[in-house]
Amino acid sequence: MKKDEFLSSLERLLRSLKREERNRFLSYYAEMIEDYMEDGCEEEDAVQRIGSPGEIAQEILSDRETQPARPTPTWMKIGVIVLLILGSPLWGSLVLVAICCALAVVIMVMSAYVIIWCIPFIFGVFSVSSLVLAVVSTVGSVIIMFRDTATGTVQMGVGILLAGIFLVTALLTLELGKRFVGVTKKFSRWLAGLYQKRRGVRA
Amino acid sequence: MDTQLKKGFLEFCVLAALYRSDSYGYQIIKDISVCIEISESTLYPILKRLEANGCLETYSVEHNSRLRKYYRITETGKEHIQEFLNDWQQVTDIYEFVKGAVEHEEG
């Protein structure tokens, strides 16, 4: 292998390093090969003595991995703390804004659920109240019937009408309830999908 | 030789090679090879570590129309060598201790 081949192959293998660091390795090995050649070695011989680019790159990369991260110097730690304190009016308000935004989103979602469920709830209220009224006026109409037949009859008619309204609204409530369970499920799934998509982008 | 042990010794060999005079990579390897085996890829991390510790500094010299990197030992590096030499009594004590244990077993 020629010197240029060796160096370009080493460069390719070390592309995960910063350019500055990679260039330091390359100039180190280039100098070595040139010194070997100056000492009377053939170019190919010199490259062979240095070793294969693959092994060298592997050694360099594994050596970097085992290197422990440099401990942060004390002055830097103090500096960071001072900056944090000095910057607190800025980042504090930003954090507050972020918390408020998050809260607003949660409240919006909750109110969306509430608004959706208002419709079946109204029908439910209608049906329950008409049931109560139907029972009261039908039972009451029997008592009134004894005193005043005409009023009693009207009262009973109203009672039966209310019973009908109860039946209709109860059925509507059930039907709407089913529909809205479906809608809620879809909405929740959509929300979950948004969340997962964002996580997916981050990952 | 045990690799960990060798790693430690090589550091002092490099410093010792530079103690005589400033030198460059190829020459350092040639000088050290007299007493201990060292490859180009082993030398690099040692030089880098010694430079990071302030034991040596570098400069470039033009040679045959190319740049050659030279290494120079610093005062810190010299102190480092001195410490190693001062510690030697302790190293021989350890050696005797280990040797004594083995001989006791055999005897």
Side-chain angles (χ1 to χ4, degrees):
Chain A
M1 197 190 288
K2 293 273 182 191
K3 187 186 98 187
D4 290 342
E5 275 175 78
F6 172 90
L7 291 175
S8 61
S9 133
L10 187 61
E11 183 174 17
R12 206 175 45 247
L13 291 163
L14 293 179
R15 58 175 176 264
S16 62
L17 301 184
K18 275 189 220 136
R19 194 163 61 165
E20 195 194 343
E21 202 179 353
R22 188 172 54 224
N23 285 343
R24 270 207 294 270
F25 277 110
L26 292 174
S27 57
Y28 173 82
Y29 283 106
E31 188 193 304
M32 276 294 173
I33 294 169
E34 276 154 10
D35 278 333
Y36 265 113
M37 284 160 68
E38 219 177 273
D39 216 17
C41 260
E42 287 296 318
E43 186 172 344
E44 267 128 17
D45 222 25
V47 172
Q48 205 181 352
R49 280 179 186 230
I50 303 278
S52 82
E55 278 170 27
I56 289 169
Q58 204 179 6
E59 209 173 313
I60 290 168
L61 295 174
S62 65
D63 188 49
R64 279 171 52 84
E65 273 162 25
T66 51
Q67 262 177 17
R70 269 195 204 168
T72 322
T74 320
W75 63 266
M76 204 183 254
K77 279 183 199 159
I78 294 168
V80 166
I81 292 167
V82 168
L83 277 178
L84 272 177
I85 294 167
L86 287 179
S88 61
L90 180 67
W91 63 259
S93 52
L94 286 177
V95 167
L96 261 178
V97 166
I99 292 171
C100 288
C101 281
L103 260 177
V105 168
V106 170
I107 291 170
M108 248 170 62
V109 169
M110 302 258 280
S111 37
Y113 279 117
V114 169
I115 289 167
I116 288 175
W117 280 93
C118 259
I119 299 163
F121 181 72
I122 288 166
F123 278 94
V125 166
F126 256 105
S127 71
V128 170
S129 51
S130 55
L131 174 66
V132 171
L133 281 174
V135 170
V136 168
S137 55
T138 316
V139 172
S141 68
V142 178
I143 302 163
I144 296 168
M145 196 83 81
F146 286 109
R147 291 191 208 153
D148 183 350
T149 322
T151 317
T153 315
V154 170
Q155 191 64 45
M156 186 168 272
V158 169
I160 291 164
L161 179 69
L162 281 167
I165 289 174
F166 158 69
L167 275 177
V168 171
T169 48
L171 280 174
L172 269 173
T173 308
L174 268 178
E175 192 57 33
L176 280 172
K178 270 187 216 158
R179 291 266 168 90
F180 275 80
V181 166
V183 168
T184 310
K185 267 188 192 160
K186 261 189 207 163
F187 182 65
S188 308
R189 228 175 277 151
W190 176 71
L191 271 181
L194 273 188
Y195 179 67
Q196 272 165 2
K197 232 185 255 169
R198 276 180 56 190
R199 276 176 54 122
V201 166
R202 253 183 238 159
Chain B
M1 195 188 282
D2 179 74
T3 46
Q4 287 299 321
L5 211 56
K6 192 176 169 182
K7 233 181 183 175
F9 280 137
L10 277 175
E11 213 167 88
F12 296 106
C13 289
V14 170
L15 285 176
L18 294 176
Y19 201 91
R20 291 181 195 148
S21 67
D22 296 0
S23 188
Y24 51 94
Y26 181 69
Q27 188 61 44
I28 293 173
I29 288 181
K30 258 172 94 175
D31 289 345
I32 295 177
S33 294
V34 182
C35 78
I36 192 168
E37 197 193 339
I38 185 171
S39 71
E40 293 75 14
S41 56
T42 330
L43 178 65
Y44 186 91
I46 294 171
L47 289 171
K48 204 177 156 193
R49 194 164 52 240
L50 287 172
E51 193 182 357
N53 295 343
C55 287
L56 57 82
E57 49 198 21
T58 64
Y59 58 94
S60 292
V61 169
E62 203 180 304
H63 170 84
N64 279 356
S65 69
R66 62 186 167 94
L67 282 181
R68 196 184 244 169
K69 203 171 178 183
Y70 271 79
Y71 303 87
R72 181 196 296 133
I73 191 166
T74 61
E75 282 309 312
T76 317
K78 288 178 180 171
E79 281 165 24
H80 203 47
I81 288 191
Q82 206 51 55
E83 277 167 30
F84 171 72
L85 294 175
N86 293 342
D87 284 345
W88 192 250
Q89 188 52 50
Q90 212 184 333
V91 178
T92 50
D93 287 348
I94 293 168
Y95 176 81
E96 290 301 331
F97 177 76
V98 174
K99 197 178 166 194
V102 174
E103 278 171 358
H104 181 74
E105 174 80 9
E106 282 170 354

